[in-house]
Amino acid sequence: MAISTTTPARGRTATGRVRKTGPVRRAGSPAHRGDARLAWVLIAPAVIGFLVFAAYPTLRGIYLSFTDFRVLTPPEWTGLDNLKRLVADEVFWHSLGVTAYFVLLSVVIGMTLSVTTAVVLHRLTASTALRGVIILPFLISGVVAATTWSWMLDAQLGIVNIAIRQLGFDPVFFLGSSRWAIPTIALISVWKGMGYNAIIVFAGLQTIPPTIYEAGRIDGANEMQMFRRLTLPLLRPVLAMVLVLTVIGSFQVFDLVAVTTQGGPARASNVLQLYIYDKAFGQFEFGYAATMSLALFAMLIAITFLQMRLLRADESDTD
Amino acid sequence: MSASASAAASASAPPAADTVRPAARPTSRAGTRPSPARRRPSLGRAVAWTYLGGVVLVTLFPFYWILRTSFSNNYALITHPSSLLPVDFTLGAFRRVLGIATSAESLAEGGSGASINILHFALNSLIFATLSTGLVVFFSLIAAYAFARLEWPGRDLVFSILLTALMVPGILTLLPNFVLIKDLGLLNTFGGLILPGALFSAFNIFFLRQFMLGLSREIEEAALIDGASRLRVLFQITLPMTSGPVTTLSILGFIGAWNDYFWPLLVTSDDSVRPLTLALAVFKQSSPQAAPDWAGLMAATLVAALPMLVLFLAFGRRIVDSIGFSGLK
């Protein structure tokens, strides 16, 4: 609310002031006469979009999280009731655990593979075509990726299980067992996002001057030492950014789960976003769903802040 | 609306890409091309190439498998599940998802009862993705111009207020935005699908502004002195000069909208305006558990992925570059 009321008001007084003092102050720049009015016309759509679809919903979401709101009747202020309910909600904590497990797997596996791929690409080839190939999965939707992998991992006819059987093992119920559902979805997520992250890391590697490696080689460092002592420290800001984005994205995973398992079997893959969606649109408890969204948002802020601090993401070792 | 924090961030630094590219290319060569002394084949290089080959294989195989399955007869898939080529080659799956197969025909090829009129949904997706991308890029462009070139009181303050939107993730705004769209009576309309993301994008404005600040003002100033209006300068001089970043933002925006799932899931309730991504998910979920029409599903998947593959073939290098530079702010 604070933002939505101050911005237009400021605009009005600002325009007014320019009309009074403008000619005096800007006598030397006739080119900028009338700029203020034109500027407000040009930014009007963006400002309206910001106020109506970003600022207002954010504040309304925070407000709704302290209410009992079932869409059809007006919200009713209930103070901290939703929060108390959240703390006692076992399904919420279970979903949070499932989500954390998913984030852990996709971040660890995804980061390892992305960095490895970027380093290997950087050492072997400058081919844009190869880099293009590895970002292909990023361009398709989560739904397409999830449908395709559901088919490939099908317990009876899926090509992956046929290969597993041919190697003499029992078929794995990748998406149908509580044990494998989350690791499988995490791998699909890694498949989809790995190339994208690798390209970012690759671009980071390109900014490291080759002379640094030559110096390292002259000093007798081997590949492994140079990777650990030179590449990783120099790459830290880029790695930190990729890490933060992966964590934020993974915490909000939805489409992969909705298409592959719909949270099952027996809630084994019921990630937080799915639970929030179910509460809001399955049981019309918008107030409580808003509380959970707010909690997720608070956790993301805390985690991001922590990561930035730990990784000292804003400073590079180049200087 | 899919442009949650992370997705939006990915669309970030394309303008920088366009400015930096010429300078960056030579360094990349120097950085990647190993000196002759290290060119000799070694165990390490063999392992590295094998790894890369594995990555490419795992990346591309699912795409091949979509093709292979979509041209197969769904019944025959059961008997030859491991065949690397299409089983009993047929266009039947495509005829089923296009809605032009007779029921006897689809029964004979193992179609399930579930069907999907894919052209209708593809058209919906096209309308949704084109309009929302076109509008938001245009509105961001004119706003960026106001922030980069015009002098007016409060400019920097307004700019920094708009930028705070970068920190608000989708999870916080999606539910209230749904309520808002519902209150406006726009549920299940293109307006409801498009509006929340059509007016404002903090990322687009930020990076178009950065790009414009890097452009020389001289041509624009000359035109102004010659008596051209501000608007004419914007559309006839500045706009053509920003075509690079505008193209990049448009491609990334189009991809994002075409692939969006969550927002269409919230605001569409029947087939009338439902986009393809969502229709595909519904098709998948409504397939019978016992004997899904995998050939039909893969045919629909192929249609859903095809525009992205075409964009990739046309703009691959630009996409790769813009993603790469988004990490180097």
Side-chain angles (χ1 to χ4, degrees):
Chain A
M1 269 319 185
I3 300 171
S4 61
T5 50
T6 54
T7 316
R10 252 179 188 288
R12 245 173 276 129
T13 54
T15 338
R17 209 186 313 133
V18 110
R19 238 175 261 136
K20 260 179 275 153
T21 62
V24 186
R25 213 156 46 91
R26 296 184 193 286
S29 62
H32 292 295
R33 204 173 289 146
D35 269 9
R37 194 177 305 167
L38 178 61
W40 280 101
V41 172
L42 292 181
I43 67 168
V47 169
I48 293 170
F50 169 78
L51 294 176
V52 177
F53 296 110
Y56 173 60
T58 303
L59 300 171
R60 195 181 193 182
I62 295 173
Y63 165 71
L64 289 179
S65 62
F66 296 101
T67 65
D68 182 27
F69 181 40
R70 289 161 198 272
V71 192
L72 294 176
T73 50
E76 208 175 291
W77 183 263
T78 55
L80 294 178
D81 282 5
N82 284 338
L83 208 60
K84 285 181 197 145
R85 184 178 158 195
L86 183 84
V87 174
D89 185 350
E90 279 174 26
V91 182
F92 171 80
W93 293 108
H94 170 77
S95 297
L96 187 61
V98 168
T99 311
Y101 183 39
F102 171 82
V103 172
L104 183 76
L105 287 177
S106 31
V107 166
V108 170
I109 302 171
M111 286 300 284
T112 312
L113 288 178
S114 307
V115 173
T116 312
T117 307
V119 169
V120 167
L121 267 175
H122 185 246
R123 297 312 294 268
L124 292 184
T125 167
S127 155
T128 312
L130 256 184
R131 273 181 286 149
V133 164
I134 65 168
I135 58 151
L136 255 182
F138 166 73
L139 302 183
I140 59 166
S141 65
V143 175
V144 164
T147 311
T148 308
W149 280 102
S150 301
W151 161 226
M152 292 179 55
L153 298 173
D154 185 68
Q156 279 99 45
L157 297 175
I159 185 70
V160 176
N161 264 318
I162 287 170
I164 290 176
R165 237 175 284 160
Q166 234 138 49
L167 292 171
F169 298 100
D170 288 333
V172 181
F173 290 84
F174 286 102
L175 294 162
S177 71
S178 349
R179 188 170 159 213
W180 287 110
I182 280 294
T184 305
I185 299 168
L187 284 177
I188 299 174
S189 159
V190 168
W191 176 81
K192 191 164 162 14
M194 189 282 284
Y196 173 82
N197 289 334
I199 295 305
I200 296 181
V201 177
F202 180 90
L205 287 170
Q206 285 187 318
T207 62
I208 302 177
T211 44
I212 291 186
Y213 290 106
E214 313 224 324
R217 216 168 286 130
I218 290 166
D219 289 346
N222 64 28
E223 294 273 330
M224 221 32 225
Q225 285 170 324
M226 285 202 285
F227 177 74
R228 275 187 41 217
R229 301 278 166 77
L230 296 177
T231 310
L232 279 186
L234 288 171
L235 217 51
R236 206 184 50 218
V238 173
L239 290 180
M241 194 203 72
V242 173
L243 181 68
V244 168
L245 289 184
T246 313
V247 169
I248 292 177
S250 307
F251 255 106
Q252 300 180 64
V253 62
F254 183 81
D255 45 8
L256 290 182
V257 185
V259 173
T260 51
T261 64
Q262 296 174 51
R267 289 216 172 113
S269 59
N270 195 31
V271 291
L272 212 44
Q273 192 81 318
L274 212 64
Y275 185 48
I276 295 175
Y277 173 79
D278 181 54
K279 271 282 173 263
F281 292 90
Q283 301 166 35
F284 298 106
E285 297 190 39
F286 264 69
Y288 188 49
T291 311
M292 289 196 282
S293 301
L294 194 61
L296 181 53
F297 175 55
M299 281 185 279
L300 285 181
I301 296 234
I303 292 169
T304 307
F305 181 72
L306 209 69
Q307 282 176 330
M308 295 305 245
R309 281 297 291 274
L310 289 176
L311 290 159
R312 287 173 298 142
D314 45 343
E315 39 186 295
S316 159
D317 293 342
T318 4
D319 324 306
Chain B
M1 286 307 290
S2 73
S4 61
S6 61
S10 63
S12 49
D18 289 274
T19 36
V20 182
R21 203 195 299 163
R25 189 126 298 144
T27 6
S28 81
R29 293 250 166 77
T32 39
R33 199 160 278 173
S35 56
R38 290 180 40 252
R39 253 274 146 84
R40 63 188 196 291
S42 69
L43 185 66
R45 290 181 71 81
V47 170
W49 274 111
T50 313
Y51 170 80
L52 209 53
V55 167
V56 170
L57 185 74
V58 173
T59 303
L60 289 183
F61 186 77
F63 291 95
Y64 174 71
W65 213 238
I66 297 174
L67 269 180
R68 173 264 187 196
T69 310
S70 60
F71 288 106
S72 295
N73 177 328
N74 198 51
Y75 266 140
L77 280 178
I78 302 171
T79 42
H80 301 282
S82 61
S83 158
L84 284 178
L85 292 174
V87 187
D88 188 10
F89 186 93
T90 170
L91 295 176
F94 289 96
R95 293 173 60 84
R96 285 200 292 285
V97 297
L98 289 170
I100 53 175
T102 62
S103 50
E105 201 180 309
S106 66
L107 209 63
E109 290 198 1
S112 65
S115 67
I116 178 172
N117 183 3
I118 205 150
L119 281 185
H120 168 73
F121 296 112
L123 188 67
N124 284 349
S125 277
L126 193 67
I127 295 172
F128 166 47
T130 311
L131 276 182
S132 59
T133 309
L135 288 173
V136 77
V137 171
F138 174 76
F139 288 138
S140 305
L141 184 71
I142 58 176
Y145 182 81
F147 287 118
R149 283 293 189 261
L150 303 181
E151 293 198 5
W152 44 285
R155 180 184 66 185
D156 297 340
L157 179 73
V158 174
F159 183 65
S160 45
I161 291 176
L162 291 192
L163 280 196
T164 57
L166 292 180
M167 293 186 298
V168 182
I171 42 163
L172 214 54
T173 53
L174 280 168
L175 293 186
N177 261 334
F178 164 80
V179 179
L180 182 63
I181 290 296
K182 184 184 161 293
D183 292 346
L184 293 173
L186 290 174
L187 284 186
N188 223 19
T189 65
F190 278 115
L193 266 179
I194 291 165
L195 206 53
L199 297 174
F200 167 68
S201 155
F203 267 103
N204 286 3
I205 294 177
F206 178 76
F207 284 105
L208 286 170
R209 172 181 171 273
Q210 290 300 103
F211 183 83
M212 286 181 192
L213 288 177
L215 290 176
S216 156
R217 284 168 184 257
E218 280 169 19
I219 309 172
E220 291 167 64
E221 302 278 345
L224 285 174
I225 290 167
D226 286 349
S229 73
R230 271 286 179 195
L231 278 181
R232 213 175 137 200
V233 170
L234 165 59
F235 287 110
Q236 295 198 331
I237 296 174
T238 316
L239 185 70
M241 287 198 286
T242 54
S243 63
V246 164
T247 313
T248 310
L249 288 178
S250 305
I251 296 169
L252 293 176
F254 188 86
I255 293 173
W258 183 275
N259 290 338
D260 196 4
Y261 176 72
F262 200 72
W263 180 246
L265 175 69
L266 301 193
V267 293
T268 67
S269 51
D270 64 38
D271 290 352
S272 56
V273 298
R274 186 170 279 168
L276 184 50
T277 315
L278 186 52
L280 177 63
V282 172
F283 184 38
K284 158 89 171 52
Q285 282 154 0
S286 64
S287 291
Q289 286 283 313
D293 177 9
W294 287 116
L297 271 167
M298 288 302 109
T301 300
L302 184 64
V303 177
L306 208 56
M308 298 303 104
L309 302 180
V310 171
L311 271 183
F312 170 74
L313 287 177
F315 297 104
R317 160 155 281 179
R318 187 181 280 279
I319 296 172
V320 169
D321 285 347
S322 60
I323 292 173
F325 283 101
S326 67
L328 310 172
K329 277 180 244 168

